[in-house]
Each structure stands twice: as structure tokens, then as C-alpha cells.
Amino acid sequence: MKLIPPLFFALASMAVAATDAKLPPPANRPIDFEKEIKPLFEAACIKCHAKGKDKGGFSLETRDSFLKGGDTGAAAVIGKSGESNIVELVAGLDPDSVMPKKGSRWTAEQVGILRAWIDQGASWPKGITFAKPPPQNLKPRDVALAERPSVNPVDNLLAGYFAAKGVEFPTPVEDRIFVRRVYLDLVGLLPTPEQLESFLHDPAPDKRAQLVRRLLDDKRNYADHWLTFWNDLLRNDYKGTGFIDGGRKQISGWLYRALLENMPYNRFVAELVNPTTASEGFSRGIIWRGTVNASMLPPMQAAQNISQVFLGVNLKCASCHDSFVNDWSLADAYGMAAAYSDQKLELVHCDKPTGKIASPRFLYPELGALDPALPKPERLQRLAEIITSPKDGRLARTLVNRLWSRLLGRGLVEPLDDMEKPAWNRDLLDWLAEDFAAHGYDIKHTIEVIATSRAYQAPTVEGPGEKEEYVFGGPLTRRLDAEQFADAITSLAGDWGRLPYSLEFDFTAGGIVTGLDMPQWIWTDEPVQLGPQRLAIKAANSALAEAKKAAAAAQKKAGEATAQGNTPTDEVKAEVDRATAAVAAAQERLTAAEQPREASPGPVLPETDRHRVVFRKAFHLDALPAEAYGAILVSQSWQVQVNGREVKAKQRDGFRNGRIALLDLRPMLKVGDNEIVIDVSSHTEKQMNDIERSKYPGSLIHLNKQSGLAFYARLVPANGGAPQQIVTDGDWRVRRAPEGRWGAVDYADAGWAHAQALPAGVTPVDEGPSLEPIHRADFANLPVELGSQLIPVISTVAQPGHIRASLLVSDPLQVALDRPNREVVIPERSTAATTLQALELTNGSTLDGQLRKAAARFAPEAVRDPSAWVDRIYRSAFSRPPSTEERAVALEMLGNPATADSVADFLWAIVNLPEFQLIN
């Protein structure tokens, strides 16, 4: 054994003494860990060294892990604070090695407290830990209800809460307030005066429960209203960032059908987590232009959005670094993101690659594991199984918390996206969640339970102050959201939209549209080479005619010379010879053109093979229709003519290469015989710039493997009878590269072939977008599958109108009222009034234009009986009649007689009253 020289001990003792002399002295009193040390650790240490994090190998979750220290050795020496590494670090003796690295430095007093605690034995009471707490609101938990069968379960559970808080159970509001509230909350509309009066005079004791059920059974209005809620949560919109260049895909059709059919929520979530083609837009996110932060790439967007929407977990901070606002780490976020990545995913810390590869894993491994070896489709299927498993109580709790907040103004857990926070009434949250799951994840059922409770029907209250404890006393007063306000204005004016902005909505779902004659997909069975052959024959005939004309002119000139007794000049003779040769050449060209042609090999055609495929359909009208909308879906570019006049697209689906459109046919129609002509290109192409066009000529003209056309027109008679439906089928005539004036009504097409219906299950595909060049993997570079869009587009033409704001794009008024662009998840909208809102409501052209339209419609009624008209407006807007004073003021505003301007001014005053803009 080698002996250590005494000099070493002397030098070491001198070094310790020198360090000790620089440190603040220990506090000269007993130290209480819980009151003095614990707050210091919580403020400065646990972000990096607790709750599952052990930066530098050091964890202070327990006393043992604290004393053990980390990569640089023991953190503390009991009884010897001057020799303890942690004391030296927090004291900052070495400027290059100070803890904490960020935030406030420890004061001399705080260092002294730590020293004294270590010197006094570093006592650490049992039960105190800085370990990551078990997750809240995660696992199922049954709640037993008191035996009160006639009491709504929500009220049953709140009875004890009110008793504990010393609060009287609120008395329900009067009928008229309830009616207005429940209409706006459940279907987003103001009740009409007739609906209000019917309810007020209903003697049934359970009429409120019956009304709730009727509103929830109103499939279309329910879906139209709750579409806003889900569009906000699922980042779904109809235009905006990402849509122009194929970086984003809407899920409107899937979502609307799910709402109309009241899809069970567990299946709803499963189809978003493990998406179908119709629902993939949510998890695919937005492919942003240019260079973006790693936290904004699509797999990380999926991790953030799925965690936030379905689990109430905020991963945004953890997408860049270990979160400072919760306990989630960078590894947690990348574990979720890896499930959605098509390739290995490297962890990137604040845009600096770490070299570490993420392994797919779920945020709560106790609920289930993801096998990293699984291919992506199986990974997503497994992830959906875990999230929707009965063991995941968080899924139901997150949703019922959102519903409670939507209906009563504040969640049982706040913020809504931090479900690790405790609920103000845990039993109520858990009972609602378990009841929701027990009833097949039926969202309407939970809404019904809440809306039929006395708690929901209580008078509205104001929320707590900034530092006040929240005590539930009833629903909070809420503002109409932008879409509700827009619909309320429209309901007063009666000026509903006819067509939605998106062509994705399937109005056959929920039985909104029935009795459709569906068009067949049709094409021609003429060989493709007939088109260019007919073009060649046409060109050859034209050339032959010109050659014969020139030959006749030359012969005439030679004949005139001979008739005058002169010999034709050499020049004239040469002209005759050339003309004769030209005729012979043109005849040979015609003969060659008439010979059978071989089809061009492969899908790519020579430019000369481009031709038109023309379809024609004749029909008769005894009278002009009140409305005549059409829809067209074609796999190549197209043009529609009616009676020889081109029909411009009223609305086009830009997402699908412009191959789908709605048409307004009425201006072109006439009484008597009519003709629809559809001219379709034989080829497709890739949209490219000039450089790309020269580099990829094969992408300029491409023959789809399966071409096809579907057309539907719906002509609504002015007398209100059954609509006339015109659809593509085998009766249509078709010809490749037809001759003559084929757009004319009197064109003879009897010699044309009949169109051929595509075989069952076969639908056309436009392959143009998927041709080279492919600059990035996005929706703009995928083939356009038309089959799935046939029913939505046709049903859009057939739906009866009454289009609400949720199915339209935003306008300046709705933007001012906080309708978002939905580039991010919006769990709830701001309720604060803003200067922009005040300006738009007082001076904005959108509201002014709507009110002036309404005034023009209402002016005759207001002139005829102004008092009755004022009464109706009050009942429509406020669900009550005007007071005597209000009626007098209103009549004075209208004047005698009322004018369109005075009616508009009166309506403006009505809609700017808080009573109109609030849900009380």
C-alpha cells in the first residue's frame, strides 16, 4: 500500500480552508427543510434535476439521490458544508461553474441557509419528494351517486360542492332566457318568435328536457354549429396558409359527416390518430414554405396536436427543449413525433441536432407501449388503440372538460390544455367522463346531461378576478362567437347563402339530401388514335382544298393565256406544275391520314395526338327554371357550353387541379330545345414554369390510365314542383375530334357513338399532378382521385341552401370578432373586447352591407305596421317583447313613415346592444 505524504493532507486542508473562507457563513439557527430548503430547490434546481430529469447525472428527487450527486461526485458532505460541491456551485465561487445557470443567483443568506442545513445533518422529512408526480385525470375512476333518482346527476354531485362552499343552489332562469341560451349553445341559432311562443305556451313539466332533445336531434343545425368548435380544435379550414401550394388538406367532408351521424368519439379519435384518406389532413398538419424550426415539421405537429386536442397536454415547449412550463421533456415530444415519421427522427434541441434518434413511444407508457419495430401503419393503429382504450381515462376527461367549458364558460379543469391540473370538482369530472364512456362515447348524450341540469340553467355570473379563487355559481356570461353573430345577423335579414365555400361536404349524410339521380362516370370506347387521325384527316382535307384552289387558279391563268392565242409563259407553266404537284401531295397526305393508325406506345403521347373528346346531351324545357346549378368532375381539362355559350365555373375545387366545379346554368337556358356540350382534353398535364416545361416535355401531355367524366344538373321549377335532374349516362353522345360546328344546338350528332359507362367500382384519376418534377412530398403532387368526391359535389348542388357561416370562409367582421385562421389548435377563443371589434361593428362595411340588405327587405313591413315589426325584431333578437319605453324609442327612431335608412339604423342599434351579443 502506497502511503500518502503528510504534505498532501496539509495542502488539501489549506485548500478547503481557503474555499471555506470565501463562502458565506452558515446560518446560526436551526433550519426547517420544508419551509426554507424546499422552496430554494423548487425555485432553482428542480427544472433540471428533478421530476425525471437528471442533468449531469444529478437528481435531487430524494435525499439519497441528492447526497449521491452526479457526474462530478457527491453533492454534499454531511456536517461539512464547506467541502460540499453543491454549496460551492450555488455560491458561484467559480464564474465558469455556477448553479443555477439561468435565472437569479443565490444570495449570501440563501447559501448560508443551505450550509447550515448540511452542517446540521441534511434532515429530509419522509414523504417529501421532487419526483414527477403521478399524472392526474388519467385513469378511469367510478363515482357513486347519492340516491336521488329524480335529480340530474350533475346537480346531485354539485349539491355537496355548494354545501361545502356555503352557496345556495341557484334557481333556474325563466323560460325565455333558457330558450335563447339553449338554442344558441346547441345549434348556434336564435330561436324564432314562433319557436319561442310555442315553448312558452307548452304546459309539459319536462318541456326543457324535450327541447334539448329536439335540438340535438336537429342533425343539420347541430352539425353546422359544432363544426366551428371542431374546426378550431382540428385546425381545419377552407382556404389560407398551405392550401395554395398543396401543403395542407382539409378534412371538412369527413368531419361534417361525423357530426351529422354523431360518430362515437372513440372512433372519431381513432380515425384522426390513425387516419383514413378523408381524415389525414389533421395529422399531416401544414407543410410550411421555406426553412422552418424543427418543432414545426409535420411529425412534430402531429405529436403536438394529438396530445393537445385529445389528451390535454401541451408539448409546444417540449418540442424545442425540456419544457419550462410543465414536466414534459424533449424526448417525450420526439417519442410521440417518431410515431408519425416516415424515417428515423433525430432529436433537435433548439434547432441544434443532438445526434440522438427518437424511439416511438406514448406519453403515458403505463397505458400501453409502441413497438419501435412496427411499420408506420401498424404504429399508428397501435397508437390509436392506446389512446382510445378504456384504460385511457384522459381521453374522455379532456373532451367532457371541453364540453363543460363550451356550455358553461369555464372548464372543470383550467387551462383546458393542461389536464395535469386538478379539477375544481373531481367527482363531477370523473362521473361525466365515465358516463360518457359508458354511453358509447356519445357526445350528444353528454351535452344532454349537462344542458338538462339546473347548473346549466342557473343565472349567468361573472368570472373571478385575477387572484380570486374560482367558485362555481352558474354559467359565465359569454359572447356570441363570430359564426353565431354572423348567423344571428343573417337570421334577422333572411339572406342565407346558397352554396358552401368547400365542395367537400356530403349532404346526403344525415338525410339532408335524398332522391338524387346519381350520374354515371362515362367515357368513350373509341380508340385514342382516332382522335389524332381525325385531326390529321381534317388538316389533310383542308390542305387538299387549298391545293385544289391554288391549282384551279393556276389552270385558269394558263387557260386565259391560251384563249388569247398566247402560249403560257414558263412562269405560268411552272405555277401549274407546282399546283398540280401540291394537289398530288395533299391527296397522298389525305390517303395516309385515312390509313388505320397504331396507338402511341405508353401513357405519354406526341404533342400532335392532343385532341378534344366532345360529349353532347339534348333536353327540352317547357319553362325556365327558378334555379339551375350543375356540377362537373373530369379527369382532364374541360369546357362546358350550353346552347353554344360557354359556362364559366361559379365555384371550383382548386385542391384537385381544378377538375371539379359548380356551374350556374340558368342564364344560358331557354324555353324549348337545349343542348349541353362538354369538351374534354384527351390528355392531362403538370402545371410547370417555363424552365420545367422545357426540361420535362413528357409532363405536358400525358394519357391517364383511366379518363372519365361525370355531370349533374338540377333544374328547380319556378312553381315548386319536382326538380329536373340531368345526369351523364349511356344516352349521351361522344366523339373524338369531331368535325363541324359541334357546339351548335342544331348540330347533327346522330352518327356519334354513345358514351360508355365505366365499369362498377372504376373511377377516373387525374395523374397530372404526380408527374415529374416532384419538388416535395405534398398534396399538390398526388394523383387526383375523383371517385370519392362525386357524392359530396352532387349533393352540394342538391342541398336546399340556408348555408351558415361555419361552412363559409371568414369575412372582415368575423375576423374582427376573433374567428381564427386555424393555423394552430384553438382550444377556446378570446372573450375580451378589442378596438378592432369596436371599429368593425360601428364602421365596418360588412355589417353595414348586411343591415342595409335587411332594411330593404323589412322597410315595407315597418311602414305598414311599425309597432308590430318592432315587437317581432325584439322577440327575434332578445327572445322578449320590448318594454313600453323601448317601443317608444324604437318608433321614434323609425320615423313616420319608416324608411330603409331608419330601419338600417334601428337594426344597427339592436345588434350592438350587449343583450344581443351575449349569451345570458
Side-chain angles (χ1 to χ4, degrees):
M1 177 179 179
K2 187 173 181 180
L3 297 177
I4 300 176
L7 178 60
F8 174 83
F9 291 105
L11 291 173
S13 298
M14 290 171 62
V16 170
T19 299
D20 197 41
K22 295 178 183 178
L23 291 171
N28 190 21
R29 57 182 173 78
I31 302 300
D32 186 310
F33 176 86
E34 190 165 1
K35 293 181 179 178
E36 298 180 270
I37 299 299
K38 184 171 178 281
L40 288 175
F41 284 171
E42 287 175 334
C45 306
I46 65 171
K47 288 181 180 178
C48 297
H49 303 289
K51 296 187 175 182
K53 302 171 187 175
D54 57 352
K55 195 170 183 179
F58 174 49
S59 168
L60 49 69
E61 291 185 353
T62 65
R63 184 176 188 271
D64 289 342
S65 64
F66 167 75
L67 294 176
K68 179 182 177 183
D71 297 343
T72 58
V77 180
I78 300 298
K80 297 181 180 180
S81 63
E83 300 178 23
S84 298
N85 190 27
I86 190 171
V87 173
E88 191 173 333
L89 290 171
V90 298
L93 297 185
D94 181 357
D96 296 327
S97 184
V98 181
M99 291 294 169
K101 288 188 175 181
K102 296 180 180 180
S104 302
R105 296 275 295 273
W106 282 36
T107 65
E109 181 184 1
Q110 291 171 330
V111 175
I113 291 172
L114 179 64
R115 289 197 64 182
W117 175 67
I118 294 173
D119 290 341
Q120 293 168 17
S123 64
W124 190 307
K126 288 184 178 180
I128 294 181
T129 175
F130 297 107
K132 188 174 182 178
Q136 295 213 44
N137 307 315
L138 181 65
K139 296 184 178 179
R141 171 179 171 263
D142 290 325
V143 177
L145 292 174
E147 289 293 333
R148 301 171 68 191
S150 62
V151 177
N152 182 289
V154 170
D155 301 327
N156 197 345
L157 290 164
L158 281 174
Y161 172 86
F162 283 133
K165 297 293 184 182
V167 176
E168 289 288 331
F169 212 116
T171 301
V173 295
E174 60 182 293
D175 280 350
R176 67 169 190 83
I177 295 177
F178 171 76
V179 170
R180 189 176 190 271
R181 180 189 298 177
V182 79
Y183 263 85
L184 287 167
D185 278 340
L186 270 55
V187 295
L189 295 170
L190 294 170
T192 65
E194 293 76 17
Q195 290 167 333
L196 174 65
E197 289 303 310
S198 174
F199 183 83
L200 294 179
H201 292 94
D202 186 347
D206 64 341
K207 64 181 182 179
R208 293 194 177 191
Q210 290 184 35
L211 176 59
V212 169
R213 189 67 256 168
R214 282 200 304 274
L215 293 175
L216 291 174
D217 286 341
D218 183 350
K219 294 181 180 181
R220 181 172 186 181
N221 280 320
Y222 169 86
D224 287 355
H225 173 55
W226 287 89
L227 185 64
T228 293
F229 173 82
W230 287 109
N231 275 344
D232 283 2
L233 277 176
L234 301 178
R235 303 171 71 188
N236 185 58
D237 219 329
Y238 316 127
K239 65 179 292 187
T241 301
F243 287 117
I244 296 174
D245 60 354
R248 188 176 179 185
K249 180 182 179 182
Q250 58 178 297
I251 60 169
S252 305
W254 177 88
L255 177 57
Y256 196 59
R257 173 177 279 275
L259 294 174
L260 285 169
E261 298 178 347
N262 194 31
M263 181 186 291
Y265 186 62
N266 54 347
R267 180 181 151 206
F268 179 93
V269 173
E271 290 191 17
L272 289 166
V273 174
N274 180 29
T276 65
T277 302
S279 63
E280 66 179 339
F282 171 65
S283 62
R284 291 280 293 269
I286 300 175
I287 304 174
W288 300 95
R289 293 182 180 180
T291 303
V292 297
N293 185 289
S295 66
M296 298 172 69
L297 296 176
M300 187 59 77
Q301 290 182 52
Q304 294 169 357
N305 298 336
I306 287 167
S307 301
Q308 180 178 358
V309 175
F310 305 131
L311 302 173
V313 170
N314 186 341
L315 287 182
K316 288 185 172 61
C317 284
S319 300
C320 277
H321 49 72
D322 291 349
S323 177
F324 298 136
V325 297
N326 53 42
D327 296 332
W328 298 107
S329 68
L330 183 70
D332 292 327
Y334 269 88
M336 278 289 284
Y340 283 90
S341 181
D342 294 314
Q343 53 200 10
K344 290 184 177 180
L345 194 61
E346 181 182 8
L347 275 72
V348 178
H349 182 273
C350 295
D351 264 359
K352 294 181 181 178
T354 65
K356 300 177 182 177
I357 301 299
S359 179
R361 61 187 174 95
F362 185 53
L363 292 175
Y364 298 103
E366 58 265 50
L367 297 181
L370 288 177
D371 184 352
L374 288 175
K376 182 179 175 182
E378 284 79 2
R379 281 202 309 270
L380 297 186
Q381 181 180 348
R382 175 58 180 153
L383 179 60
E385 290 170 355
I386 295 172
I387 292 177
T388 59
S389 164
K391 295 193 300 182
D392 180 10
R394 176 67 63 78
L395 178 70
R397 281 155 182 77
T398 301
L399 192 276
V400 300
N401 189 53
R402 294 192 191 281
L403 295 178
W404 184 275
S405 175
R406 179 76 174 183
L407 296 172
L408 289 102
R410 183 183 173 98
L412 294 159
V413 176
E414 285 286 341
L416 299 180
D417 292 331
D418 191 355
M419 289 297 291
E420 292 292 342
K421 293 282 195 295
W424 56 260
N425 190 321
R426 183 187 177 191
D427 284 352
L428 180 54
L429 175 68
D430 286 343
W431 186 88
L432 284 170
E434 296 306 312
D435 180 69
F436 175 49
H439 284 82
Y441 294 88
D442 183 345
I443 293 176
K444 287 187 177 182
H445 166 79
T446 297
I447 293 174
E448 183 175 10
V449 169
I450 295 172
T452 53
S453 69
R454 287 182 61 194
Y456 171 78
Q457 297 171 31
T460 56
V461 299
E462 297 305 311
E466 188 174 343
K467 295 185 179 179
E468 289 181 317
E469 177 191 3
Y470 174 70
V471 177
F472 177 76
L476 298 186
T477 303
R478 291 163 289 134
R479 295 180 57 191
L480 299 178
D481 64 34
E483 289 87 339
Q484 284 175 316
F485 186 87
D487 285 342
I489 298 296
T490 305
S491 68
L492 290 178
D495 186 27
W496 296 100
R498 174 61 182 85
L499 298 170
Y501 186 84
S502 170
L503 300 183
E504 304 275 335
F505 300 112
D506 179 1
F507 292 97
T508 64
I512 296 174
V513 169
T514 58
L516 285 179
D517 291 344
M518 291 303 296
Q520 293 180 311
W521 291 106
I522 61 171
W523 197 240
T524 176
D525 60 357
E526 288 189 324
V528 67
Q529 58 269 29
L530 275 183
Q533 182 179 31
R534 287 172 181 153
L535 290 178
I537 291 172
K538 181 179 178 180
N541 274 321
S542 178
L544 180 59
E546 288 296 319
K548 287 182 176 179
K549 182 178 178 181
Q555 289 290 353
K556 181 179 179 182
K557 191 182 296 184
E560 289 174 347
T562 302
Q564 295 173 4
N566 299 322
T567 301
T569 64
D570 292 342
E571 182 179 348
V572 171
K573 290 179 179 179
E575 184 177 349
V576 170
D577 292 341
R578 287 194 301 271
T580 303
V583 170
Q587 185 62 58
E588 290 179 4
R589 178 182 174 185
L590 176 59
T591 301
E594 291 173 340
Q595 298 305 307
R597 290 169 56 108
E598 295 293 330
S600 300
V604 177
L605 300 173
E607 179 67 22
T608 54
D609 281 1
R610 185 192 303 265
H611 60 277
R612 291 167 166 169
V613 183
V614 180
F615 297 81
R616 287 173 55 89
K617 174 68 174 181
F619 61 99
H620 185 85
L621 291 177
D622 293 327
L624 287 178
E627 176 184 284
Y629 283 113
I632 186 168
L633 303 89
V634 196
S635 52
Q636 290 89 247
S637 59
W638 52 268
Q639 183 185 80
V640 175
Q641 294 181 28
V642 173
N643 297 327
R645 298 167 61 192
E646 182 181 355
V647 183
K648 299 291 186 181
K650 181 177 180 64
Q651 195 167 324
R652 193 181 288 267
D653 185 343
F655 181 75
R656 292 178 176 81
N657 208 22
R659 301 311 192 213
I660 302 174
L662 300 187
L663 312 166
D664 185 1
L665 308 174
R666 191 180 184 283
M668 287 73 181
L669 298 176
K670 61 180 183 176
V671 175
D673 293 334
N674 291 259
E675 191 84 30
I676 297 175
V677 178
I678 303 177
D679 165 14
V680 183
S681 175
S682 60
H683 70 288
T684 189
E685 64 285 321
K686 176 90 169 186
Q687 300 297 320
M688 297 179 287
N689 58 39
D690 290 342
I691 295 175
E692 291 169 340
R693 291 170 70 88
S694 62
K695 188 174 180 181
Y696 301 98
S699 297
L700 291 173
I701 178 165
H702 173 88
L703 189 65
N704 285 320
K705 292 183 179 67
Q706 180 60 68
S707 297
L709 155 72
F711 178 85
Y712 174 88
R714 189 179 186 88
L715 282 57
V716 180
N719 61 11
Q724 180 179 353
Q725 301 180 76
I726 301 171
V727 299
T728 43
D729 56 23
D731 287 338
W732 285 56
R733 297 286 185 164
V734 62
R735 186 171 178 84
R736 292 183 181 274
E739 306 82 357
R741 296 176 58 254
W742 42 261
V745 177
D746 57 356
Y747 180 85
D749 58 15
W752 288 21
H754 284 282
Q756 297 297 307
L758 300 190
V762 176
T763 57
V765 177
D766 179 12
E767 300 164 4
S770 62
L771 302 174
E772 293 185 305
I774 304 291
H775 296 298
R776 68 177 192 180
D778 59 23
F779 297 110
N781 290 288
L782 296 176
V784 176
E785 305 276 351
L786 293 173
S788 62
Q789 293 309 116
L790 181 64
I791 293 177
V793 175
I794 302 308
S795 70
T796 297
V797 170
Q799 57 81 31
H802 208 277
I803 299 299
R804 292 173 55 182
S806 62
L807 283 75
L808 301 170
V809 293
S810 191
D811 57 35
L813 176 60
Q814 292 184 63
V815 170
L817 295 175
D818 201 41
R819 177 166 170 171
N821 60 22
R822 296 172 176 142
E823 293 175 3
V824 297
V825 170
I826 308 294
E828 56 186 343
R829 297 187 186 177
S830 172
T831 58
T834 67
T835 303
L836 177 61
Q837 290 170 7
L839 291 172
E840 191 65 33
L841 287 168
T842 53
N843 297 307
S845 60
T846 304
L847 179 60
D848 181 65
Q850 291 172 332
L851 295 180
R852 291 193 178 281
K853 278 186 179 180
R857 173 173 169 259
F858 285 137
E861 184 180 346
V863 169
R864 185 169 55 253
D865 191 342
S867 183
W869 181 78
V870 168
D871 187 82
R872 180 170 183 82
I873 292 299
Y874 264 80
R875 291 179 185 276
S876 297
F878 308 128
S879 296
R880 65 172 179 84
S883 67
T884 302
E885 182 181 0
E886 287 171 330
R887 188 184 302 275
V889 171
L891 294 175
E892 182 180 350
M893 285 186 66
L894 289 174
N896 188 17
T899 65
D901 285 343
S902 66
V903 169
D905 290 343
F906 173 73
L907 291 174
W908 179 89
I910 289 290
V911 302
N912 274 289
L913 287 173
E915 187 179 357
F916 180 81
Q917 297 182 13
L918 298 177
I919 302 175
N920 288 308

